[in-house]
Amino acid sequence: MTPFLAYEDKGTHTPPTPTPTSESESESALPLVLVHGHPFDRTMWTPQIEEFSRTRRVIAPDLRGYGASPVVPGVTPLARFAADIEELLDELKVGTFVLAGLSMGGQIAMECCARLGDRVRGLVLADTFPTPETPEGKAARNAMADRLLREGMRGYADEVLEKMVAPYAAPEVKAHVHRMMTATPPEGAAAALRGRAERPDYRPLLARLTAPALVVVGRDDAYTPVADAEAMHALFPHSTLHVIEGAAHMPNLERPAEFNAVLGSSWTGWTSSAEAP
């Protein structure tokens, strides 16, 4: 069966990992699954795909409504995004894995943890937050959805570019981010905004999560300030926090070498944790 989502699957010299039958599964076999944010596509993870596919399997889907995946107008709840990822991983015969998400992708990753349980052996949450939407936020997201359907993506992309990445970001990074935003179908972006406005409170989930976690945030992120990352880090039983200087909402693109180094070093430290039930 052809998967619903478009995706990149690189580094497939690492064999697929069926659902483990024992606790002795090696960390080195774990694929890395990358979930992009709004309104982007899987190319936002290009530096991470290139780096980590040298040593392991890396899977990066385009979420429904984004990139090359089908556009489904209406409302796309975070639970639907997570179900799509579960279906893709089942189709690709991926059992256990490390899961990373940025911004909305981080909230989808939290939803995946709720759905997939012990299959998630490590969690990376970048520039995101676990709290439910406020009434004001819900109204703002629905109003933005209406605007995108009415006007398209370009005006929005122009307005938020220097909040998505810092004003001092490299020109090629700004161009990449702007290109992803303007290429996103308004119907897909609007459906995601409406679904995200209904998101649940993920804080109880994070407080009982047994998998190790890494929380990353750009020092100059206006959407998810460092204080939000600190509060989220405090919820986890087992987590580390890393603040990336010289970056805003997309440190994986703004400071890819540091982002990759932090993820790689954390992964090395998760070897024993990967064998935990």
Side-chain angles (χ1 to χ4, degrees):
M1 182 175 70
T2 302
F4 179 79
L5 299 180
Y7 63 95
E8 186 158 357
D9 184 358
K10 195 170 182 181
T12 49
H13 55 279
T14 301
T17 56
T19 300
T21 57
S22 73
E23 296 180 6
S24 61
E25 181 179 57
S26 170
E27 179 270 345
S28 64
L30 289 176
L32 173 62
V33 179
L34 300 168
V35 186
H36 68 76
H38 162 91
F40 308 122
D41 57 51
R42 68 183 188 263
T43 68
M44 69 156 273
W45 293 114
T46 296
Q48 289 69 52
I49 295 169
E50 292 177 352
E51 174 68 20
F52 293 107
S53 64
R54 299 171 185 171
T55 56
R56 64 190 70 245
R57 189 178 188 186
V58 180
I59 298 163
D62 282 334
L63 299 170
R64 67 167 58 205
Y66 296 88
S69 287
V71 177
V72 182
V75 180
T76 306
L78 296 178
R80 179 64 261 176
F81 285 124
D84 287 343
I85 291 171
E86 180 181 18
E87 291 163 11
L88 175 64
L89 296 179
D90 287 348
E91 183 69 20
L92 297 177
K93 296 181 170 53
V94 174
T96 55
F97 52 92
V98 171
L99 180 62
L102 184 144
S103 193
M104 181 182 77
Q107 293 168 342
I108 295 168
M110 297 178 216
E111 185 67 34
C112 285
C113 289
R115 291 183 65 90
L116 299 176
D118 290 345
R119 289 177 68 178
V120 180
R121 293 300 180 95
L123 179 64
V124 182
L125 296 178
D127 300 82
T128 190
F129 56 94
T131 53
E133 191 59 271
T134 63
E136 296 79 11
K138 180 176 180 179
R141 290 192 190 278
N142 282 299
M144 180 58 72
D146 292 340
R147 176 190 168 185
L148 296 183
L149 291 174
R150 184 175 62 249
E151 300 178 6
M153 298 297 294
R154 181 165 291 277
Y156 167 78
D158 291 346
E159 289 173 15
V160 303
L161 177 60
E162 292 193 349
K163 289 181 70 177
M164 292 295 186
V165 296
Y168 50 77
E172 60 271 22
V173 172
K174 288 185 178 181
H176 180 190
V177 171
H178 193 268
R179 184 168 58 249
M180 288 190 291
M181 290 194 287
T182 55
T184 295
E187 298 83 0
L193 284 168
R194 298 192 199 283
R196 197 176 177 195
E198 304 297 331
R199 70 181 181 274
D201 187 347
Y202 291 110
R203 288 173 293 184
L205 169 72
L206 300 188
R208 63 176 184 267
L209 194 71
T210 58
L214 169 66
V215 177
V216 184
V217 66
R219 172 68 72 184
D220 296 331
D221 190 346
Y223 288 119
T224 56
V226 171
D228 288 1
E230 291 172 339
M232 185 167 63
H233 164 58
L235 293 170
F236 285 101
H238 309 289
S239 71
T240 57
L241 170 66
H242 189 87
V243 179
I244 295 185
E245 303 292 340
H249 193 56
M250 302 185 72
N252 71 301
L253 283 175
E254 296 171 88
R255 295 288 183 267
E258 182 174 352
F259 188 96
N260 291 352
V262 171
L263 177 52
S265 62
S266 296
W267 203 326
T268 300
W270 292 350
T271 301
S272 58
S273 298
E275 298 177 359

